[in-house]
Amino acid sequence: AGPIKRSHQTKRTVTMAALTRFGRLALCQFISTSKMAPTKLPAAFALRAPARINRPASTRCFASATGNYECLCKKCGFEVKGEPALAVLCHCESCRVYGSDAARVAAYSPEQFKITKGQDGLIKYESAPGKFRCTCSTCGSFVHNILPNGLMVAPLGGTKWGGDGDPVEPRMHIFMSDCGLETVNDDLPQHAEFP
């Protein structure tokens, strides 16, 4: 792909080589400070900053595709099926500390969620009463959460979607009262707490 160019007082150019060198987080920080038009962003990087990049409304759908996830070292994984109970961008402090930004997640019933490998390789941390965050003990990847009501929370960003439906996308922002310095520049509904 060619360079991404922007003109505003001074010209900046972000090349694919720069993306490789500085990584996706640096690109997202550049976008959030430069107000780069989202149509100029390579598709592979567009999902890394969902709270700052507008996407066409047609791509934001509550879908029922089968999703599969593997952690970075491929030792842990899960499968989700069917429509989730909730698909959100969570801005609570706990999620921001855990993942450095809003968590792009969906909550599934236990019947819709299946660990496919690495159950014994998960670290289970109780981050709030009855809420557990599960990470890979080898690579540290966020694998899933368990809510006090039993729902299984799956990270959407690393999930690969099958052809039996559309990818699951967030439908709202939650815990905006606890969002810190994060800004939201899309038209999704915003809730101060859990809806």
Side-chain angles (χ1 to χ4, degrees), residues 35-131:
K35 296 184 169 69
M36 180 191 296
T39 54
K40 301 288 186 181
L41 185 66
F45 294 89
L47 299 181
R48 300 297 290 184
R52 296 184 177 89
I53 299 172
N54 289 323
R55 280 174 285 176
S58 61
T59 67
R60 300 194 196 104
C61 48
F62 222 22
S64 57
T66 299
N68 286 280
Y69 173 92
E70 286 184 323
C71 65
L72 287 173
C73 69
K74 311 295 186 188
K75 291 183 178 178
C76 299
F78 65 75
E79 180 184 77
V80 289
K81 288 187 175 182
E83 185 174 305
L86 200 65
V88 302
L89 285 151
C90 181
H91 297 265
C92 76
E93 182 179 15
S94 179
C95 281
R96 290 186 290 108
V97 170
Y98 189 59
S100 83
D101 207 347
R104 189 168 166 266
V105 294
Y108 291 86
S109 70
E111 295 76 27
Q112 295 173 287
F113 182 96
K114 180 177 73 174
I115 293 289
T116 53
K117 58 181 176 178
Q119 179 73 56
D120 295 338
L122 292 173
I123 296 172
K124 203 173 181 181
Y125 172 68
E126 190 171 10
S127 61
K131 178 179 180 178

Coordinates of all heavy atoms in Angstrom, one line a residue, residues 35-131:
K35 N -6.3 14.1 13.6 CA -7.6 14.1 13.0 C -7.6 13.7 11.5 O -8.2 14.2 10.7 CB -8.2 15.5 13.1 CG -8.5 16.0 14.5 CD -9.2 17.3 14.5 CE -9.7 17.7 15.9 NZ -8.8 17.9 16.9
M36 N -6.8 12.7 11.3 CA -6.7 12.1 9.9 C -8.0 11.5 9.5 O -8.7 10.9 10.3 CB -5.6 11.0 9.9 CG -5.5 10.3 8.5 SD -4.5 8.8 8.6 CE -2.9 9.5 9.1
A37 N -8.4 11.7 8.3 CA -9.6 11.2 7.7 C -9.6 9.7 7.8 O -8.7 9.0 7.4 CB -9.9 11.6 6.3
P38 N -10.6 9.0 8.4 CA -10.6 7.6 8.6 C -10.6 6.8 7.3 O -10.1 5.7 7.3 CB -11.9 7.3 9.4 CG -12.8 8.5 9.2 CD -11.8 9.6 9.0
T39 N -11.0 7.4 6.2 CA -11.0 6.7 4.9 C -9.5 6.5 4.4 O -9.3 5.7 3.5 CB -11.7 7.5 3.8 OG1 -11.2 8.8 3.8 CG2 -13.2 7.5 4.2
K40 N -8.6 7.2 5.0 CA -7.2 7.1 4.6 C -6.5 6.0 5.3 O -5.3 5.7 5.1 CB -6.4 8.4 4.9 CG -7.0 9.6 4.1 CD -6.7 9.6 2.7 CE -7.1 10.9 2.0 NZ -6.9 10.8 0.5
L41 N -7.1 5.4 6.3 CA -6.5 4.4 7.2 C -6.6 3.0 6.6 O -7.6 2.6 6.1 CB -7.2 4.4 8.5 CG -6.6 3.5 9.6 CD1 -5.3 4.0 10.0 CD2 -7.6 3.5 10.8
P42 N -5.4 2.3 6.5 CA -5.5 0.9 6.0 C -6.5 0.1 6.8 O -6.5 0.2 8.0 CB -4.1 0.4 6.2 CG -3.2 1.7 6.3 CD -4.1 2.7 6.9
A43 N -7.2 -0.8 6.2 CA -8.3 -1.6 6.9 C -7.7 -2.4 8.0 O -8.3 -2.6 9.0 CB -9.0 -2.4 5.8
A44 N -6.5 -2.9 7.8 CA -5.9 -3.7 8.9 C -5.7 -3.0 10.2 O -5.6 -3.6 11.2 CB -4.5 -4.3 8.4
F45 N -5.6 -1.7 10.1 CA -5.4 -0.9 11.3 C -6.6 -0.2 11.8 O -6.6 0.3 12.9 CB -4.3 0.1 11.1 CG -3.0 -0.5 10.8 CD1 -2.6 -0.8 9.5 CD2 -2.1 -0.8 11.8 CE1 -1.4 -1.4 9.2 CE2 -0.9 -1.4 11.6 CZ -0.5 -1.7 10.3
A46 N -7.7 -0.2 11.1 CA -8.9 0.6 11.4 C -9.5 0.2 12.7 O -10.1 1.0 13.4 CB -9.9 0.6 10.3
L47 N -9.5 -1.1 13.1 CA -10.2 -1.6 14.2 C -9.4 -1.4 15.5 O -9.9 -1.7 16.6 CB -10.5 -3.1 14.1 CG -11.3 -3.5 12.9 CD1 -11.6 -5.0 12.8 CD2 -12.7 -2.8 12.9
R48 N -8.2 -0.9 15.5 CA -7.4 -0.7 16.7 C -7.8 0.5 17.5 O -7.5 0.6 18.7 CB -5.9 -0.6 16.3 CG -5.3 -1.8 15.6 CD -5.4 -3.0 16.4 NE -4.5 -2.9 17.5 CZ -4.2 -3.8 18.4 NH1 -4.9 -5.0 18.3 NH2 -3.4 -3.7 19.4
A49 N -8.5 1.4 16.9 CA -9.0 2.6 17.7 C -10.5 2.9 17.4 O -10.8 3.9 16.9 CB -8.2 3.8 17.3
P50 N -11.3 1.9 17.8 CA -12.7 2.0 17.4 C -13.4 3.2 18.0 O -14.4 3.7 17.5 CB -13.4 0.7 18.0 CG -12.4 0.3 19.0 CD -11.1 0.7 18.6
A51 N -12.9 3.8 19.2 CA -13.6 4.9 19.8 C -13.2 6.2 19.1 O -13.8 7.2 19.4 CB -13.2 5.0 21.3
R52 N -12.2 6.2 18.2 CA -11.8 7.4 17.6 C -12.0 7.5 16.1 O -11.8 8.5 15.4 CB -10.3 7.6 17.9 CG -10.0 7.8 19.3 CD -8.5 8.1 19.5 NE -8.2 8.3 20.9 CZ -7.9 7.4 21.8 NH1 -7.9 6.1 21.4 NH2 -7.7 7.7 23.1
I53 N -12.4 6.4 15.5 CA -12.5 6.3 14.0 C -14.0 5.9 13.7 O -14.5 4.9 14.1 CB -11.6 5.2 13.5 CG1 -10.1 5.6 13.8 CG2 -11.8 5.1 12.0 CD1 -9.2 4.5 13.4
N54 N -14.6 6.8 12.9 CA -16.0 6.5 12.5 C -15.9 5.4 11.4 O -15.1 5.5 10.5 CB -16.6 7.8 11.9 CG -16.9 8.7 13.0 OD1 -17.3 8.3 14.1 ND2 -16.8 10.0 12.8
R55 N -16.9 4.5 11.5 CA -17.0 3.5 10.4 C -18.4 3.6 9.9 O -19.3 4.0 10.6 CB -16.7 2.1 11.0 CG -15.2 1.8 11.0 CD -15.0 0.5 11.7 NE -15.2 0.7 13.2 CZ -15.2 -0.3 14.0 NH1 -14.9 -1.5 13.6 NH2 -15.4 -0.1 15.3
P56 N -18.7 3.1 8.6 CA -20.0 3.2 8.1 C -21.0 2.4 9.0 O -20.7 1.4 9.5 CB -19.9 2.5 6.7 CG -18.5 2.7 6.4 CD -17.7 2.6 7.7
A57 N -22.2 3.0 9.1 CA -23.2 2.4 10.0 C -23.5 0.9 9.6 O -23.8 0.1 10.4 CB -24.5 3.2 10.0
S58 N -23.4 0.7 8.3 CA -23.7 -0.7 7.8 C -22.7 -1.7 8.3 O -23.0 -2.9 8.2 CB -23.6 -0.7 6.2 OG -22.3 -0.3 5.8
T59 N -21.6 -1.3 8.8 CA -20.6 -2.3 9.3 C -20.8 -2.6 10.8 O -20.2 -3.5 11.3 CB -19.2 -1.9 9.1 OG1 -18.9 -0.7 9.9 CG2 -18.9 -1.6 7.7
R60 N -21.7 -1.8 11.4 CA -21.9 -2.0 12.8 C -23.2 -2.8 13.0 O -24.3 -2.3 13.0 CB -22.1 -0.6 13.5 CG -20.9 0.3 13.4 CD -21.1 1.4 14.4 NE -20.1 2.5 14.0 CZ -20.5 3.6 13.5 NH1 -21.8 3.8 13.1 NH2 -19.6 4.5 13.2
C61 N -23.0 -4.1 13.1 CA -24.2 -5.0 13.1 C -24.1 -6.0 14.3 O -23.0 -6.4 14.6 CB -24.4 -5.7 11.8 SG -22.9 -6.5 11.2
F62 N -25.3 -6.2 14.9 CA -25.3 -7.3 15.9 C -25.5 -8.6 15.2 O -26.5 -8.9 14.7 CB -26.5 -7.0 16.8 CG -26.3 -7.2 18.3 CD1 -25.0 -7.1 18.8 CD2 -27.3 -7.4 19.1 CE1 -24.8 -7.3 20.1 CE2 -27.1 -7.6 20.5 CZ -25.9 -7.5 21.0
A63 N -24.4 -9.3 15.0 CA -24.4 -10.4 14.1 C -24.3 -11.7 14.8 O -24.1 -11.8 16.0 CB -23.2 -10.2 13.1
S64 N -24.4 -12.8 14.1 CA -24.4 -14.1 14.7 C -23.3 -15.0 14.0 O -23.5 -16.2 14.0 CB -25.8 -14.7 14.5 OG -26.2 -14.8 13.2
A65 N -22.2 -14.5 13.5 CA -21.2 -15.3 13.0 C -20.5 -16.1 14.1 O -20.4 -15.7 15.2 CB -20.2 -14.5 12.2
T66 N -20.0 -17.3 13.7 CA -19.1 -18.1 14.6 C -17.7 -17.5 14.6 O -17.2 -17.1 13.6 CB -19.0 -19.5 14.1 OG1 -20.3 -20.1 14.1 CG2 -18.1 -20.4 15.0
G67 N -17.2 -17.3 15.8 CA -15.9 -16.6 16.0 C -14.9 -17.6 16.7 O -15.3 -18.3 17.6
N68 N -13.7 -17.5 16.2 CA -12.6 -18.3 16.8 C -11.5 -17.4 17.2 O -11.1 -16.5 16.5 CB -12.1 -19.4 15.9 CG -13.1 -20.5 15.7 OD1 -13.2 -21.4 16.6 ND2 -13.9 -20.5 14.7
Y69 N -10.9 -17.7 18.4 CA -9.8 -16.9 18.9 C -8.6 -17.8 19.4 O -8.9 -18.9 19.9 CB -10.3 -16.1 20.1 CG -9.3 -15.3 20.9 CD1 -9.0 -14.0 20.6 CD2 -8.5 -15.9 21.9 CE1 -8.0 -13.3 21.3 CE2 -7.6 -15.2 22.6 CZ -7.3 -13.9 22.3 OH -6.4 -13.2 23.0
E70 N -7.4 -17.3 19.1 CA -6.2 -17.9 19.6 C -5.4 -16.8 20.2 O -5.3 -15.7 19.7 CB -5.4 -18.6 18.6 CG -6.0 -19.9 18.1 CD -5.1 -20.6 17.1 OE1 -4.5 -19.9 16.3 OE2 -5.0 -21.8 17.1
C71 N -4.7 -17.1 21.4 CA -3.8 -16.1 22.0 C -2.5 -16.0 21.1 O -2.4 -16.7 20.1 CB -3.5 -16.5 23.4 SG -2.5 -18.0 23.5
L72 N -1.6 -15.1 21.5 CA -0.4 -14.9 20.7 C 0.4 -16.1 20.5 O 1.0 -16.3 19.5 CB 0.4 -13.7 21.3 CG -0.1 -12.3 21.2 CD1 0.7 -11.3 22.0 CD2 -0.2 -11.9 19.7
C73 N 0.6 -16.9 21.6 CA 1.4 -18.1 21.5 C 0.6 -19.3 21.0 O 1.2 -20.4 20.9 CB 2.1 -18.4 22.8 SG 0.9 -18.9 24.1
K74 N -0.7 -19.2 20.7 CA -1.5 -20.2 20.2 C -1.8 -21.3 21.1 O -2.3 -22.4 20.7 CB -0.9 -20.8 18.9 CG -0.4 -19.8 17.8 CD -1.6 -19.0 17.3 CE -1.1 -18.1 16.1 NZ -2.1 -17.2 15.7
K75 N -1.5 -21.2 22.4 CA -1.8 -22.2 23.4 C -3.2 -22.2 23.9 O -3.7 -23.2 24.4 CB -0.7 -22.2 24.5 CG 0.7 -22.5 24.1 CD 1.6 -22.5 25.3 CE 3.0 -22.9 24.8 NZ 4.0 -22.8 26.0
C76 N -3.8 -21.1 23.9 CA -5.2 -20.9 24.5 C -6.1 -20.4 23.4 O -5.7 -19.6 22.5 CB -5.2 -20.0 25.7 SG -4.2 -20.5 27.1
G77 N -7.4 -20.9 23.4 CA -8.3 -20.4 22.4 C -9.7 -20.7 22.8 O -10.0 -21.5 23.8
F78 N -10.7 -20.1 22.1 CA -12.1 -20.3 22.3 C -12.9 -20.2 21.1 O -12.4 -19.7 20.0 CB -12.7 -19.4 23.4 CG -12.7 -17.9 23.0 CD1 -13.6 -17.4 22.1 CD2 -11.7 -17.0 23.5 CE1 -13.6 -16.1 21.7 CE2 -11.7 -15.7 23.2 CZ -12.7 -15.2 22.3
E79 N -14.1 -20.6 21.1 CA -15.1 -20.5 20.0 C -16.4 -19.9 20.6 O -16.8 -20.2 21.7 CB -15.4 -21.8 19.4 CG -16.4 -21.7 18.2 CD -16.7 -23.1 17.7 OE1 -17.5 -23.8 18.3 OE2 -16.2 -23.5 16.6
V80 N -17.0 -18.9 19.8 CA -18.3 -18.4 20.2 C -19.2 -18.6 19.1 O -18.8 -18.5 17.9 CB -18.2 -16.9 20.6 CG1 -17.5 -16.7 21.9 CG2 -17.5 -16.1 19.5
K81 N -20.5 -18.8 19.4 CA -21.5 -19.0 18.4 C -22.8 -18.3 18.8 O -23.2 -18.2 19.9 CB -21.9 -20.5 18.3 CG -20.8 -21.4 17.6 CD -21.3 -22.8 17.4 CE -20.3 -23.6 16.6 NZ -20.7 -25.0 16.4
G82 N -23.5 -17.7 17.8 CA -24.7 -17.1 17.9 C -24.6 -15.6 18.3 O -23.5 -15.1 18.4
E83 N -25.8 -15.0 18.5 CA -25.8 -13.6 18.8 C -25.5 -13.3 20.3 O -26.0 -14.0 21.2 CB -27.2 -13.1 18.5 CG -27.4 -11.6 18.7 CD -28.8 -11.1 18.3 OE1 -29.1 -11.4 17.1 OE2 -29.4 -10.5 19.1
P84 N -24.5 -12.4 20.6 CA -24.2 -12.2 22.0 C -25.3 -11.4 22.7 O -26.1 -10.7 22.1 CB -22.9 -11.3 21.8 CG -23.1 -10.6 20.5 CD -23.8 -11.6 19.6
A85 N -25.2 -11.5 24.0 CA -26.2 -10.8 24.9 C -25.9 -9.3 24.8 O -26.8 -8.5 24.9 CB -26.1 -11.3 26.3
L86 N -24.6 -8.9 24.6 CA -24.2 -7.5 24.6 C -22.9 -7.4 23.8 O -22.0 -8.3 23.9 CB -23.9 -7.1 26.0 CG -23.9 -5.6 26.4 CD1 -25.3 -5.0 26.1 CD2 -23.5 -5.4 27.8
A87 N -22.7 -6.4 23.0 CA -21.5 -6.1 22.3 C -21.2 -4.6 22.5 O -22.0 -3.8 22.1 CB -21.6 -6.4 20.8
V88 N -20.0 -4.3 23.2 CA -19.8 -2.9 23.6 C -18.3 -2.5 23.5 O -17.5 -3.4 23.3 CB -20.2 -2.8 25.1 CG1 -21.7 -3.2 25.3 CG2 -19.3 -3.6 26.0
L89 N -18.1 -1.3 23.7 CA -16.8 -0.7 24.0 C -16.9 -0.3 25.5 O -17.7 0.6 25.8 CB -16.5 0.5 23.1 CG -16.1 0.1 21.7 CD1 -16.5 1.3 20.7 CD2 -14.7 -0.1 21.6
C90 N -16.1 -0.9 26.3 CA -16.2 -0.7 27.7 C -15.0 0.3 28.1 O -13.8 0.0 27.9 CB -16.1 -1.9 28.6 SG -16.2 -1.7 30.3
H91 N -15.4 1.4 28.7 CA -14.4 2.4 29.1 C -14.1 2.5 30.6 O -13.4 3.4 31.0 CB -14.9 3.8 28.7 CG -15.1 4.0 27.2 ND1 -14.2 4.5 26.4 CD2 -16.2 3.6 26.4 CE1 -14.6 4.5 25.1 NE2 -15.8 4.0 25.1
C92 N -14.4 1.4 31.3 CA -14.2 1.5 32.8 C -12.7 1.5 33.0 O -11.9 1.0 32.2 CB -14.8 0.3 33.5 SG -14.0 -1.3 33.3
E93 N -12.3 2.0 34.2 CA -10.8 2.0 34.5 C -10.2 0.7 34.5 O -9.1 0.5 34.1 CB -10.7 2.7 35.9 CG -9.2 2.9 36.3 CD -9.0 3.6 37.6 OE1 -10.0 3.7 38.4 OE2 -7.9 4.0 37.8
S94 N -10.9 -0.3 35.0 CA -10.3 -1.7 35.0 C -10.0 -2.2 33.6 O -8.9 -2.7 33.4 CB -11.4 -2.6 35.7 OG -10.9 -3.9 35.7
C95 N -10.9 -2.0 32.7 CA -10.6 -2.4 31.3 C -9.4 -1.6 30.7 O -8.6 -2.1 30.0 CB -11.8 -2.3 30.4 SG -13.0 -3.6 30.6
R96 N -9.4 -0.3 31.0 CA -8.4 0.6 30.5 C -7.0 0.2 31.0 O -6.0 0.2 30.3 CB -8.7 2.1 30.7 CG -9.9 2.6 29.9 CD -10.1 4.0 30.0 NE -10.6 4.4 31.3 CZ -9.9 5.1 32.3 NH1 -8.7 5.4 32.1 NH2 -10.5 5.4 33.4
V97 N -6.9 -0.1 32.3 CA -5.7 -0.5 32.9 C -5.2 -1.9 32.3 O -4.1 -2.1 32.0 CB -5.8 -0.6 34.4 CG1 -4.6 -1.3 35.0 CG2 -5.9 0.8 35.0
Y98 N -6.2 -2.7 32.1 CA -6.0 -4.1 31.6 C -5.5 -4.1 30.2 O -4.6 -4.9 29.8 CB -7.3 -4.9 31.8 CG -7.2 -6.4 31.6 CD1 -6.4 -7.2 32.3 CD2 -8.0 -7.0 30.6 CE1 -6.3 -8.5 32.1 CE2 -8.0 -8.3 30.4 CZ -7.2 -9.1 31.2 OH -7.1 -10.5 31.0
G99 N -6.1 -3.2 29.4 CA -5.8 -3.3 27.9 C -5.4 -2.0 27.3 O -5.2 -1.9 26.1
S100 N -5.1 -0.9 28.1 CA -4.6 0.4 27.7 C -5.6 1.3 27.0 O -5.3 2.4 26.6 CB -3.3 0.2 26.8 OG -3.7 0.0 25.5
D101 N -6.8 0.8 26.7 CA -7.8 1.6 26.0 C -9.2 0.9 26.3 O -9.3 -0.1 27.0 CB -7.5 1.7 24.5 CG -8.1 2.9 23.9 OD1 -8.9 3.6 24.5 OD2 -7.7 3.2 22.7
A102 N -10.2 1.5 25.7 CA -11.5 0.9 25.8 C -11.5 -0.6 25.3 O -10.9 -0.9 24.3 CB -12.6 1.6 25.0
A103 N -12.2 -1.5 26.1 CA -12.2 -2.9 25.7 C -13.3 -3.1 24.7 O -14.5 -2.7 24.9 CB -12.4 -3.7 26.9
R104 N -13.0 -3.7 23.5 CA -14.0 -4.0 22.5 C -14.4 -5.4 22.6 O -13.6 -6.4 22.2 CB -13.3 -3.7 21.1 CG -14.2 -3.8 19.9 CD -13.4 -3.2 18.7 NE -14.1 -3.5 17.5 CZ -13.9 -4.6 16.8 NH1 -12.9 -5.4 17.1 NH2 -14.5 -4.8 15.7
V105 N -15.5 -5.7 23.3 CA -15.8 -7.0 23.7 C -17.3 -7.4 23.5 O -18.1 -6.5 23.3 CB -15.6 -7.2 25.3 CG1 -14.1 -7.1 25.5 CG2 -16.3 -6.1 26.1
A106 N -17.6 -8.6 23.6 CA -19.0 -9.1 23.5 C -19.2 -10.2 24.6 O -18.3 -10.9 24.9 CB -19.3 -9.7 22.1
A107 N -20.4 -10.2 25.2 CA -20.7 -11.1 26.3 C -21.7 -12.2 25.7 O -22.7 -11.9 25.1 CB -21.4 -10.3 27.4
Y108 N -21.3 -13.4 26.0 CA -22.0 -14.6 25.5 C -22.5 -15.5 26.7 O -21.8 -15.5 27.8 CB -21.1 -15.5 24.6 CG -20.8 -14.9 23.3 CD1 -19.7 -14.0 23.1 CD2 -21.6 -15.1 22.2 CE1 -19.4 -13.4 21.9 CE2 -21.3 -14.6 20.9 CZ -20.2 -13.7 20.8 OH -19.9 -13.2 19.6
S109 N -23.5 -16.2 26.5 CA -23.9 -17.2 27.5 C -22.9 -18.3 27.6 O -22.2 -18.6 26.5 CB -25.3 -17.7 27.2 OG -25.3 -18.6 26.1
P110 N -22.8 -19.0 28.7 CA -21.9 -20.2 28.7 C -22.1 -21.2 27.7 O -21.2 -21.9 27.2 CB -22.1 -20.7 30.1 CG -22.6 -19.6 30.9 CD -23.4 -18.8 30.0
E111 N -23.4 -21.3 27.2 CA -23.7 -22.3 26.2 C -23.2 -21.9 24.8 O -23.0 -22.8 24.0 CB -25.2 -22.5 26.1 CG -25.9 -23.1 27.3 CD -26.0 -22.1 28.5 OE1 -26.1 -20.9 28.2 OE2 -26.0 -22.6 29.7
Q112 N -22.9 -20.6 24.6 CA -22.4 -20.1 23.3 C -20.9 -20.0 23.3 O -20.3 -19.8 22.3 CB -23.0 -18.7 23.1 CG -24.5 -18.6 22.9 CD -24.9 -17.2 22.8 OE1 -24.9 -16.5 23.8 NE2 -25.2 -16.7 21.6
F113 N -20.3 -20.2 24.4 CA -18.8 -20.0 24.6 C -18.1 -21.4 24.9 O -18.6 -22.1 25.8 CB -18.6 -19.0 25.7 CG -17.1 -18.7 25.9 CD1 -16.6 -17.6 25.3 CD2 -16.3 -19.5 26.7 CE1 -15.2 -17.2 25.5 CE2 -15.0 -19.1 26.9 CZ -14.4 -18.0 26.3
K114 N -17.1 -21.7 24.2 CA -16.4 -23.0 24.4 C -14.9 -22.8 24.3 O -14.4 -22.3 23.3 CB -16.8 -24.0 23.4 CG -16.1 -25.4 23.6 CD -16.7 -26.4 22.6 CE -16.1 -26.2 21.2 NZ -16.5 -27.2 20.2
I115 N -14.2 -23.1 25.4 CA -12.7 -23.1 25.4 C -12.3 -24.3 24.5 O -12.7 -25.4 24.7 CB -12.1 -23.3 26.8 CG1 -12.4 -22.1 27.7 CG2 -10.6 -23.5 26.7 CD1 -11.7 -20.9 27.3
T116 N -11.5 -24.0 23.5 CA -11.1 -25.0 22.5 C -9.7 -25.6 22.8 O -9.4 -26.7 22.4 CB -11.0 -24.4 21.1 OG1 -10.2 -23.2 21.1 CG2 -12.5 -24.1 20.6
K117 N -8.9 -24.8 23.6 CA -7.6 -25.4 24.0 C -7.0 -24.4 25.1 O -7.4 -23.3 25.2 CB -6.7 -25.4 22.9 CG -6.4 -24.1 22.1 CD -5.4 -24.4 21.0 CE -5.2 -23.1 20.2 NZ -4.3 -23.3 19.1
G118 N -6.2 -25.0 25.9 CA -5.4 -24.3 26.9 C -6.1 -23.9 28.2 O -5.7 -23.0 28.9
Q119 N -7.2 -24.6 28.6 CA -7.9 -24.3 29.8 C -6.9 -24.3 31.0 O -7.0 -23.5 31.9 CB -9.0 -25.4 30.0 CG -9.7 -25.2 31.3 CD -10.7 -24.0 31.3 OE1 -11.6 -23.9 30.4 NE2 -10.6 -23.1 32.2
D120 N -6.0 -25.3 31.0 CA -5.0 -25.4 32.2 C -4.0 -24.3 32.1 O -3.2 -24.2 33.1 CB -4.4 -26.8 32.2 CG -5.4 -27.9 32.4 OD1 -6.5 -27.6 33.0 OD2 -5.1 -29.1 32.1
G121 N -3.9 -23.6 31.0 CA -2.8 -22.6 30.8 C -3.3 -21.2 31.1 O -2.6 -20.2 30.8
L122 N -4.5 -21.1 31.7 CA -5.1 -19.8 31.9 C -4.8 -19.3 33.4 O -4.9 -20.1 34.3 CB -6.6 -19.8 31.7 CG -7.1 -20.0 30.2 CD1 -8.6 -20.1 30.2 CD2 -6.7 -18.8 29.4
I123 N -4.5 -18.0 33.5 CA -4.4 -17.4 34.8 C -5.8 -16.7 35.0 O -6.2 -16.0 34.2 CB -3.3 -16.3 34.8 CG1 -1.9 -17.0 34.7 CG2 -3.3 -15.6 36.2 CD1 -0.8 -16.0 34.5
K124 N -6.4 -17.0 36.2 CA -7.7 -16.5 36.5 C -7.6 -15.5 37.6 O -7.2 -15.8 38.7 CB -8.6 -17.7 36.9 CG -10.1 -17.4 36.8 CD -10.8 -18.8 37.0 CE -12.3 -18.6 36.9 NZ -12.9 -19.9 37.2
Y125 N -7.8 -14.2 37.3 CA -7.7 -13.1 38.3 C -9.0 -12.5 38.6 O -9.7 -12.1 37.7 CB -6.7 -12.1 37.8 CG -6.6 -10.8 38.6 CD1 -6.1 -10.9 39.9 CD2 -7.1 -9.6 38.2 CE1 -6.0 -9.7 40.7 CE2 -7.1 -8.5 39.0 CZ -6.5 -8.5 40.2 OH -6.5 -7.4 41.0
E126 N -9.4 -12.4 39.9 CA -10.6 -11.8 40.3 C -10.4 -10.3 40.4 O -9.9 -9.8 41.4 CB -11.1 -12.4 41.6 CG -12.6 -12.0 41.9 CD -13.1 -12.7 43.1 OE1 -12.4 -13.5 43.8 OE2 -14.3 -12.6 43.4
S127 N -10.8 -9.5 39.4 CA -10.6 -8.1 39.3 C -11.7 -7.3 40.1 O -11.5 -6.1 40.4 CB -10.5 -7.6 37.9 OG -11.7 -7.8 37.2
A128 N -12.8 -7.9 40.3 CA -13.9 -7.4 41.1 C -14.7 -8.6 41.7 O -14.5 -9.7 41.2 CB -14.8 -6.5 40.2
P129 N -15.5 -8.4 42.8 CA -16.2 -9.5 43.3 C -17.0 -10.3 42.3 O -17.9 -9.8 41.7 CB -17.1 -8.8 44.4 CG -16.4 -7.6 44.8 CD -15.7 -7.1 43.5
G130 N -16.6 -11.5 42.1 CA -17.3 -12.4 41.2 C -16.9 -12.2 39.7 O -17.4 -12.9 38.9
K131 N -16.0 -11.3 39.4 CA -15.6 -11.1 38.0 C -14.2 -11.6 37.8 O -13.3 -11.1 38.6 CB -15.7 -9.6 37.6 CG -15.2 -9.4 36.2 CD -15.3 -7.9 35.7 CE -14.8 -7.8 34.3 NZ -14.9 -6.4 33.8

